Amino acid sequence: MIAAVADAVTDAVPQRTLGRVQRTLTYLVILLMCLLTAVPLYVMLLVAFQPTGAVFSGGDLHIIPQTISFENFTELLTETDALTYTYNSIVVTVGVMVLATTIACISGYILTRFEFRGKTAFSRSILLSYMFSGIVLAVPFYILFQSLGLLNSHFALVLGLTALLSPLNIWLMWQYFETVPISLEERAWIEGASRWRAVRDVVLPIARPGIVTAAIFSFSAGWNNFLLAQIVLSDSEMYTLPVGAALLLGRDAGWETAMSVSVLICIPPFLIALFFQRYLMLGINIGESG
Amino acid sequence: MAKEIRTERLRKEYDADDRTVVANDDIDLTIEEGEFTTIVGPSGCGKTTLLRMIAGLQEPTSGRLYCGDEDVTDERPQDRDISMVFQNIALYPHMTVRENIGYALKIEGVPDEERAERVEEAAEILQIADQLEKKPDALSGGQQQRVALGAAFVKEPEIILFDEPMSDLDAKLRAELRVEVQQLHKRLDATIVYVTHDQTEAMTMSDTVVTLREGHVEQVAPPTELFDFPNSTYVAEFIGTPATNFLPVDLQLTDGTPTLRGFGMEIEVPSEELDPHVGETVDLGVRPQYLSAGGGSFELDVTIDVIEPLGTESVVHATRPDGEPIDFVTDDIAEIFPGDTVTVGFDEEDLIVFGPNGEAVVYGARLFDSAGATQQIN
C-alpha cells in the first residue's frame, strides 16, 4: 500500500522536486537535533560567562550576553577545591586509560590468536557482563574494596572503572585484532621475529586505530564517571570533578559556579571529539560489525 | 647454501568436529637441494599443510623433518633459515616497501647501511626501485607481489617457500611473474618449494613436481615425465589441459595376447603386466594432444559440441558414441563445426592402460617403438 503510494508519488512528482523535498527534510531533522544538543550547552556557557548574580538580576535570562566575565572561573579556582578535583580526575582517567586499554589489548589478542577450553563461554560472559549497569555492581564493589582496604583510593576507582569498561574494550580489541591477518605475524616469525616482537612491530601498529578507540572509551568512562566515584571515594580531598561538581551544587554555590565547573568538565571531551572523530566512528563501526 | 628437505613419515591430523582428518598421511619425500619443486593438487589435498610444516608454522602430529642433515622437526620458524611468500602476499601495511623488504634484515641486526644497499639491490632486480618509499596499498597487485618476492630473497635463505602466491592475480600477470620467479631461482642458491593448485604453474616452472592426493604423495616426477607417464588416472586427469580422455574397454585374450576391445576398436597390447586384469574392464587413456582428427591407427567417431580456439591450436569438446565427453586438440578447425561427426584417431604408442583401481599398468610409449610418438607438451 505504502509502496504503491510511493510509486504513485514518484510517478507524479518530478525527480528534482522529490530530491529537494528529501534534502529539506534531512536538513530540518539535523537542525532539530543540533538545537536539542546545542541549546543546553549554550545555556551552560551563557550562565558560566556571566557575572555572579547577573542571571537572576532581572529575573530573566538574556539570550545574547550583555557582558562576558571570567569572574566565576576565578572564584571556582580560588575559592573552591576545583583544581584538586581536576587533578584527581586526571589521575583516575589516565589510570583507567592505561589499565583498561592494556587489559583490552592483551585479552583481545589472546581471544584472537589462541584456542583454549571455555573460549566461547568466556566470550559470551564478556557480552553478558556488559549488560549490567554500574549501579548493580556498586554495592559489591564497595564490599570488595572495603575488604581489600582500598576504599577511598583512586586505585580502587581505577580498578572498578576498568572492570566496568573491560567487556566493551575487550570486545572492541578482539574484533579489531581479528582484522589483522595471521599471515602477517607468521611472516614476521619466519623473518626471525619473536612472538612479542611481531606483536610490537606488526600487530599493534596495525591495530592502532582500535587502541586509540579503546583509549577514548576509557577516557570517557574515567572522566565522566560519577556513580562509582561517589561510592568509592569518601574524602572530599579525593573527589573527581563530577563528584566535586555535585558537591558544589549541593552546597551554597550559585548556578554560575556550577555551570563553570560544567564548562571545565566539558573541555577535554570536546577536544577529543574534535580531534579524534575518526576513531569514534570506527568504534561505532566495529561495534556494529561485531 | 641451498639445502635438501627431507620428510620421514610426516603426518598431520586435525580434529574437526568429532572426527579426525588426516591432512598429511605419513609422507616420505625428498626435495633435492637447489631444485625448484612444486607441490600440486586440488584444494584440500594437504599441500599447504605440508608447506606450513616445512616452514614450522604447523607442528606435525608425528614423523620427522630434516633440512640438510639437521633434524628441524621441533625448531621454531624463527630458527629455520627459510623465507615464505604467502597466498595473500602478507605485506605489512604500515611499513613502506623499503621497510617491508628490509624487515628480516633488521631483525637479523644487519647494519643500516648494508641493509639499505641490499634492499635497493633487490628492488633493482625486481624493477620496483622507484617504489621504495611507498606504502603497499599504493602499489598494483603485481608490484605488491614483487615486494613480497624481494622480502623473501633479500635475506638469502637456504629455502624459499611459496604458498599459492599467484592465485589472486590475473592470467597475464601470472605469466609474467612465472618467468620472474624462475629467473630468481637461477640467480639464487636456494631450494624452492612452490605450492599451487594450478597445474600450468607446476608444469612450467618446476624441476620436479610432487602431486598430492588426499594427503598422500601420488607421484614425484619432472613435468615432462608426469605428462607422458602419469602413474594413475588421478595424475593423468589433473596434469595437462584438457584432462586425459579415459575410454572404458574390455581386456580379453586374443591368441594369448591381451587385447583391448571397445568403441569398435581392437588393440593388441602384448604386455605381461596386463595378465592379472584379463577379463576386467580397464581404462584406456589418451591425451587430447595425442588424439588427432581424421587419423591414427585406432579410430572412433565423435560428435563435436564446442570448439575453443586458443590461437595456434584449438581445444575441441565432443561426445563419443557412448554419450560421454571426449576432448582433443587440433590446429586445424577450418573443416570442423559443432554438430559434425568426425573421426578421431591415435596410435598405439599414445595410449596408457589404467587398471581397475586407477593405477597405470602399461604405457604405450614404452611398450611400443616410441620413435614416432609426439613429445609435445601443453
Side-chain angles (χ1 to χ4, degrees):
Chain A
M1 165 76 185
I2 292 171
V5 171
D7 279 348
V9 170
T10 322
D11 287 344
V13 186
Q15 281 296 319
R16 262 179 55 190
T17 320
L18 199 70
R20 212 172 291 158
V21 169
Q22 250 172 16
R23 241 189 335 268
T24 315
L25 275 176
T26 311
Y27 282 128
L28 266 177
V29 171
I30 292 174
L31 190 71
L32 193 70
M33 286 168 71
C34 285
L35 277 177
L36 281 175
T37 323
V39 168
L41 280 177
Y42 182 70
V43 171
M44 174 185 81
L45 289 171
L46 203 63
V47 176
F49 285 99
Q50 286 196 16
T52 319
V55 179
F56 296 107
S57 58
D60 52 10
L61 186 62
H62 296 282
I63 292 295
I64 294 154
Q66 309 295 305
T67 48
I68 284 188
S69 140
F70 292 92
E71 200 180 314
N72 299 322
F73 290 93
T74 323
E75 193 188 314
L76 187 72
L77 297 181
T78 52
E79 318 252 314
T80 71
D81 290 332
L83 269 182
T84 314
Y85 302 152
T86 310
Y87 171 77
N88 291 342
S89 266
I90 291 173
V91 168
V92 170
T93 306
V94 170
V96 174
M97 284 171 81
V98 172
L99 189 64
T101 311
T102 309
I103 288 177
C105 284
I106 296 171
S107 314
Y109 183 78
I110 289 172
L111 281 168
T112 308
R113 291 291 185 246
F114 296 96
E115 290 304 321
F116 52 89
R117 198 180 276 274
K119 182 171 166 176
T120 321
F122 182 67
S123 60
R124 279 195 196 134
S125 70
I126 290 179
L127 267 191
L128 190 71
S129 58
Y130 185 57
M131 299 298 158
F132 293 120
S133 83
I135 192 74
V136 176
L137 297 172
V139 172
F141 269 139
Y142 186 85
I143 296 169
L144 197 66
F145 291 140
Q146 191 187 35
S147 61
L148 291 172
L150 288 174
L151 273 184
N152 197 32
S153 72
H154 290 150
F155 181 58
L157 185 54
V158 168
L159 280 185
L161 287 173
T162 302
L164 285 177
L165 189 65
S166 283
L168 177 69
N169 270 359
I170 291 174
W171 194 265
L172 177 90
M173 285 319 298
W174 180 16
Q175 296 307 315
Y176 210 90
F177 283 135
E178 288 282 356
T179 65
V180 181
I182 180 82
S183 58
L184 293 182
E185 266 180 277
E186 290 178 337
R187 186 189 141 195
W189 302 339
I190 286 177
E191 293 189 325
S194 64
R195 182 127 208 170
W196 162 238
R197 176 115 197 230
V199 169
R200 200 189 67 190
D201 285 356
V202 177
V203 181
L204 290 181
I206 298 173
R208 200 174 56 191
I211 297 171
V212 174
T213 308
I216 291 175
F217 285 172
S218 312
F219 164 83
S220 166
W223 187 258
N224 295 324
N225 176 268
F226 172 76
L227 188 70
L228 198 61
Q230 203 196 24
I231 287 166
V232 170
L233 306 172
S234 49
D235 193 344
S236 73
E237 287 283 292
M238 301 296 285
Y239 281 2
T240 52
L241 262 178
V243 183
L247 186 74
L248 285 182
L249 245 178
R251 276 200 213 140
D252 50 359
W255 284 20
E256 296 87 350
T257 321
M259 285 302 99
S260 51
V261 174
S262 301
V263 171
L264 207 62
I265 295 179
C266 283
I267 292 171
F270 174 73
L271 291 178
I272 284 184
L274 198 66
F275 292 110
F276 291 91
Q277 253 180 39
R278 188 161 82 81
Y279 295 104
L280 287 174
M281 293 309 294
L282 186 93
I284 293 166
N285 288 339
I286 291 268
E288 278 171 354
S289 65
Chain B
M1 262 301 288
K3 281 206 176 145
E4 173 196 271
I5 304 166
R6 193 159 54 81
T7 69
E8 226 175 67
R9 301 186 66 74
L10 202 64
R11 183 180 187 84
K12 181 69 187 177
E13 292 174 1
Y14 291 105
D15 285 325
D17 299 326
D18 4 313
R19 59 200 186 92
T20 303
V21 179
V22 181
N24 284 170
D25 192 359
D26 296 345
I27 289 184
D28 287 310
L29 183 66
T30 303
I31 294 168
E32 302 291 338
E33 63 172 68
E35 273 206 350
F36 194 126
T37 300
T38 303
I39 302 175
V40 71
S43 321
C45 72
K47 54 191 189 301
T48 294
T49 307
L50 182 57
L51 192 79
R52 288 172 62 83
M53 285 199 288
I54 296 174
L57 294 172
Q58 260 166 357
E59 251 178 85
T61 310
S62 62
R64 310 304 298 172
L65 175 75
Y66 299 88
C67 284
D69 300 326
E70 197 189 345
D71 183 344
V72 297
T73 318
D74 302 317
E75 266 187 17
R76 303 181 310 152
Q78 285 91 336
D79 302 327
R80 304 183 186 191
D81 190 6
I82 46 170
S83 282
M84 184 159 166
V85 179
F86 288 83
Q87 181 168 14
N88 66 352
I89 304 180
L91 297 179
Y92 308 128
H94 59 296
M95 295 187 193
T96 60
V97 170
R98 179 187 291 281
E99 290 166 331
N100 258 291
I101 298 178
Y103 186 67
L105 300 178
K106 186 176 166 190
I107 292 200
E108 227 173 76
V110 176
D112 288 357
E113 209 169 295
E114 188 194 332
R115 194 163 82 218
E117 220 168 86
R118 282 168 71 176
V119 168
E120 277 156 30
E121 194 192 322
E124 203 68 51
I125 293 169
L126 294 166
Q127 300 156 22
I128 46 171
D130 50 344
Q131 315 286 335
L132 277 174
E133 310 312 325
K134 288 186 186 163
K135 292 274 176 68
D137 61 6
L139 305 181
S140 69
Q143 286 168 334
Q144 288 180 354
Q145 193 57 259
R146 289 193 172 95
V147 176
L149 283 178
F153 80 81
V154 75
K155 72 167 185 175
E156 294 169 4
E158 292 161 351
I159 294 163
I160 305 182
L161 309 175
F162 290 83
D163 183 12
E164 307 201 31
M166 299 185 195
S167 51
D168 294 337
L169 300 177
D170 62 60
K172 186 166 176 284
L173 207 52
R174 274 212 296 268
E176 255 175 62
L177 280 165
R178 280 208 299 266
V179 177
E180 269 176 54
V181 169
Q182 288 174 83
Q183 283 170 344
L184 215 54
H185 175 232
K186 285 203 189 86
R187 187 188 278 267
L188 298 172
D189 181 20
T191 307
I192 290 186
V193 185
Y194 191 107
V195 158
T196 181
H197 64 267
D198 180 350
Q199 58 89 28
T200 315
E201 278 177 21
M203 295 296 279
T204 50
M205 295 201 289
S206 348
D207 298 317
T208 304
V209 178
V210 177
T211 318
L212 280 194
R213 175 189 193 178
E214 291 167 8
H216 299 271
V217 172
E218 187 80 2
Q219 189 168 8
V220 181
T224 45
E225 193 183 321
L226 210 57
F227 188 81
D228 284 328
F229 303 104
N231 66 2
S232 65
T233 48
Y234 176 79
V235 176
E237 222 176 343
F238 192 74
I239 299 291
T241 32
T244 302
N245 298 303
F246 299 105
L247 307 167
V249 290
D250 294 325
L251 181 60
Q252 293 162 353
L253 285 180
T254 308
D255 302 333
T257 309
T259 306
L260 306 172
R261 277 179 223 268
F263 299 94
M265 299 181 290
E266 264 190 38
I267 310 169
E268 287 191 4
V269 186
S271 166
E272 290 170 7
E273 308 283 330
L274 287 173
D275 290 350
H277 301 296
V278 170
E280 295 174 7
T281 302
V282 296
D283 273 317
L284 164 62
V286 185
R287 290 247 173 233
Q289 288 82 356
Y290 299 155
L291 201 58
S292 35
S297 316
F298 308 102
E299 296 177 338
L300 71 159
D301 291 338
V302 299
T303 312
I304 310 294
D305 295 322
V306 174
I307 301 169
E308 287 183 308
L310 297 172
T312 54
E313 57 183 28
S314 300
V315 175
V316 182
H317 302 280
T319 307
R320 51 186 213 216
D322 62 351
E324 294 297 316
I326 185 167
D327 299 331
F328 62 95
V329 175
T330 177
D331 53 8
D332 182 16
I333 50 164
E335 306 280 307
I336 303 178
F337 299 98
D340 288 359
T341 298
V342 299
T343 304
V344 291
F346 59 94
D347 296 324
E348 52 198 4
E349 58 265 26
D350 299 329
L351 64 84
I352 305 171
V353 183
F354 296 95
N357 296 320
E359 76 287 6
V361 183
V362 172
Y363 299 103
R366 286 201 181 133
L367 182 65
F368 303 101
D369 177 23
S370 61
T374 39
Q375 289 284 326
Q376 82 182 77
I377 282 164
N378 215 327

